[in-house]
Amino acid sequence: MVKLVAIYRQPENKEEFDRHYKEVHAPLAAKMPGLLKMEVNRVYGTPMGESDLYLIAEMYFENQETLEQGLASSEGRAAGKDLMGFAKKLVTMHFAEVV
Amino acid sequence: MVKLVAIYRQPENKEEFDRHYKEVHAPLAAKMPGLLKMEVNRVYGTPMGESDLYLIAEMYFENQETLEQGLASSEGRAAGKDLMGFAKKLVTMHFAEVV
């Protein structure tokens, strides 16, 4: 099992970010073929106080091949284009294997 | 459900990091009371190439209260002390709510 992990730093306008994420981006990402599960985590702090992070979204796929197929699909490209439009400066994307 | 998320950047010595993580740190973290599940993710890339991240460890608790109790327990403090000894400069810790 592998994951596509999107790590978002704190946005300037949280309300606008939340609205776009919930109403537009998450539904687009959820359409990616091969997606087994999506887990969205809202970061609310650290053991030492405030976090520089805001959201961690994890998209599970069976393996790297199906993950890449999901990203390369028309649905994956639509989600990627939307992501760059609203969160290019906030987000980093990572591939990870569940150990 | 909430998570304690530990995000590790790339260590200089991966073999030493892996050995310590697997043989010492993960078993210590797994002893925290209240821990429901631990999911360890090995980062192996990004859509654009190499990632600056190495490992993402997620420790699930029922809520923030049990998470804090887990961290404050003798087992949690032992895991925290070990973490600072081998990965202080590599790791950031975050609290997140599973949406």
Side-chain angles (χ1 to χ4, degrees):
Chain A
M1 185 93 82
V2 302
K3 292 177 181 177
L4 175 63
V5 185
I7 302 178
Y8 298 82
R9 289 191 303 280
Q10 296 281 348
E12 280 189 29
N13 187 328
K14 292 181 174 50
E15 280 181 29
E16 194 178 305
F17 179 97
D18 288 348
R19 187 172 41 75
H20 188 91
Y21 188 85
K22 185 178 172 185
E23 295 178 9
V24 180
H25 188 69
L28 281 174
K31 284 182 189 161
M32 278 190 288
L35 181 68
L36 300 176
K37 185 176 85 165
M38 187 166 171
E39 190 165 284
V40 178
N41 310 281
R42 184 170 300 279
V43 180
Y44 60 88
T46 78
M48 311 296 284
E50 286 198 14
S51 177
D52 59 327
L53 303 182
Y54 187 64
L55 204 73
I56 302 173
E58 304 177 89
M59 288 145 281
Y60 292 72
F61 293 81
E62 191 174 340
N63 54 44
Q64 177 62 13
E65 191 179 352
T66 59
L67 192 169
E68 283 180 1
Q69 287 169 353
L71 280 177
S73 67
S74 58
E75 295 89 345
R77 282 182 280 120
K81 186 179 176 185
D82 178 68
L83 182 68
M84 289 301 103
F86 87 102
K88 186 177 183 177
K89 292 180 181 173
L90 300 174
V91 71
T92 60
M93 307 287 285
H94 308 270
F95 298 144
E97 184 181 6
V98 182
V99 180
Chain B
M1 185 94 81
V2 302
K3 293 177 181 177
L4 175 63
V5 186
I7 302 178
Y8 297 82
R9 288 192 304 279
Q10 296 281 348
E12 281 188 31
N13 188 329
K14 292 180 174 48
E15 280 182 29
E16 194 178 305
F17 179 97
D18 288 347
R19 187 172 40 74
H20 188 91
Y21 188 85
K22 185 178 172 185
E23 294 177 10
V24 180
H25 188 67
L28 281 173
K31 284 182 189 160
M32 278 190 288
L35 180 68
L36 300 176
K37 185 175 85 165
M38 187 166 171
E39 190 165 284
V40 179
N41 310 280
R42 184 170 301 277
V43 180
Y44 60 87
T46 78
M48 311 297 283
E50 286 198 13
S51 177
D52 59 328
L53 303 183
Y54 187 64
L55 204 73
I56 302 172
E58 304 177 88
M59 288 145 281
Y60 291 72
F61 292 81
E62 190 174 340
N63 54 44
Q64 176 63 13
E65 190 180 353
T66 60
L67 192 169
E68 282 179 2
Q69 287 169 353
L71 280 176
S73 67
S74 59
E75 295 88 346
R77 283 182 279 120
K81 187 179 176 184
D82 177 68
L83 182 68
M84 290 300 103
F86 88 102
K88 186 177 183 176
K89 292 179 180 173
L90 300 174
V91 71
T92 60
M93 307 288 286
H94 307 270
F95 298 144
E97 185 181 6
V98 182
V99 180

